[in-house]
């Protein structure tokens, strides 16, 4: 199996991909701001990701993901979307979702992500089951 990027490398690839999709480019300053890290940290991570073949630095265009980088970023994005779909079904608000997903997404094994996707499918296809779960929580039986 190919080496997987580290947790923080995944964070960077995810954010760079998002910035490129949103704005058409990813600048070091924007990456630093959205990840809440120093620009020097971004520069060294970008250099490392370049050496590992995930991205290139193109004059004028800035950072560009390679096919390999894009593939990893898309996989990270899909995983984020699966978790968001699952959390939305459970009624978790957008801000909490964002924070919690960023906190756990890099630690989940692929089989757990698949399980959560299946569970989301199950609840989407059986809204009455979801409603029973919600009603049970309203009664307080599901609270820790
Ligand atoms: Fe994410």
């Amino acid at each position: 199996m190919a080496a997987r990027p580290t947790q923080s490398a995944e964070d960077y690839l995810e954010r760079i991909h998002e910035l490129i999709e949103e704005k058409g480019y990813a600048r070091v300053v924007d990456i630093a701001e959205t990840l809440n890290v120093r620009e020097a940290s971004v520069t060294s991570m970008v250099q490392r990701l370049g050496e590992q073949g995930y991205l290139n630095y193109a004059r004028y265009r800035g950072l560009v993901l390679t096919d390999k980088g894009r593939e990893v970023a898309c996989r990270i994005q899909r995983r984020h979307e699966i978790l968001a779909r699952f959390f939305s079904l459970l009624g978790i608000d957008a801000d909490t979702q964002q924070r919690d997903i960023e906190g756990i997404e890099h630690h989940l094994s692929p089989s757990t992500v698949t399980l959560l996707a299946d569970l989301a499918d199950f609840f989407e296809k059986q809204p009455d089951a979801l409603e029973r779960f919600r009603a049970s929580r309203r009664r307080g039986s599901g609270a820790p």
Side-chain angles (χ1 to χ4, degrees), residues 54-69:
Y54 292 112
L55 53 79
N56 288 312
Y57 185 81
R59 227 192 159 117
Y60 307 117
R61 282 181 65 198
L63 298 175
V64 183
L65 292 176
T66 60
D67 286 347
K68 176 181 163 183

Side-chain angles (χ1 to χ4, degrees), residues 8 23 28 34 55 69 75 87 92 98 104 110 117-118 126 131-132 136 140-141:
S8 67
K23 307 174 136 196
V28 167
T34 56
L55 53 79
R75 196 172 68 219
F87 282 7
I92 299 172
Q98 184 63 27
I104 65 168
D118 289 349
Q126 312 207 39
E131 188 37 51
R132 279 208 307 283
S136 146
S141 54

Side-chain angles (χ1 to χ4, degrees), residues 29-50:
V29 55
D30 295 326
I31 301 167
E33 196 186 305
T34 56
L35 284 178
N36 208 9
V37 294
R38 290 174 305 118
E39 287 185 35
S41 311
V42 177
T43 306
S44 69
M45 178 59 91
V46 160
Q47 200 175 345
R48 191 155 2 132
L49 289 169

Side-chain angles (χ1 to χ4, degrees), residues 14 80 102 105:
E14 179 182 28
H80 188 115
E102 290 305 324
E105 62 185 343

Side-chain angles (χ1 to χ4, degrees), residues 40-137:
S41 311
V42 177
T43 306
S44 69
M45 178 59 91
V46 160
Q47 200 175 345
R48 191 155 2 132
L49 289 169
E51 285 161 9
Q52 292 168 349
Y54 292 112
L55 53 79
N56 288 312
Y57 185 81
R59 227 192 159 117
Y60 307 117
R61 282 181 65 198
L63 298 175
V64 183
L65 292 176
T66 60
D67 286 347
K68 176 181 163 183
R70 207 171 308 113
E71 196 184 301
V72 172
C74 287
R75 196 172 68 219
I76 296 165
Q77 199 173 40
R78 272 198 305 277
R79 187 178 58 197
H80 188 115
E81 282 163 8
I82 287 169
L83 295 171
R85 191 156 65 96
F86 180 65
F87 282 7
S88 296
L89 279 166
L90 298 179
I92 299 172
D93 69 85
D95 283 351
T96 309
Q97 272 192 39
Q98 184 63 27
R99 248 192 338 270
D100 288 359
I101 292 172
E102 290 305 324
I104 65 168
E105 62 185 343
H106 307 293
H107 305 281
L108 298 173
S109 53
S111 59
T112 302
V113 176
T114 305
L115 184 144
L116 292 175
D118 289 349
L119 194 53
D121 283 346
F122 175 84
F123 278 136
E124 276 167 3
K125 285 182 196 135
Q126 312 207 39
D128 49 318
L130 181 59
E131 188 37 51
R132 279 208 307 283
F133 172 69
R134 287 196 169 139
S136 146
R137 283 209 85 213

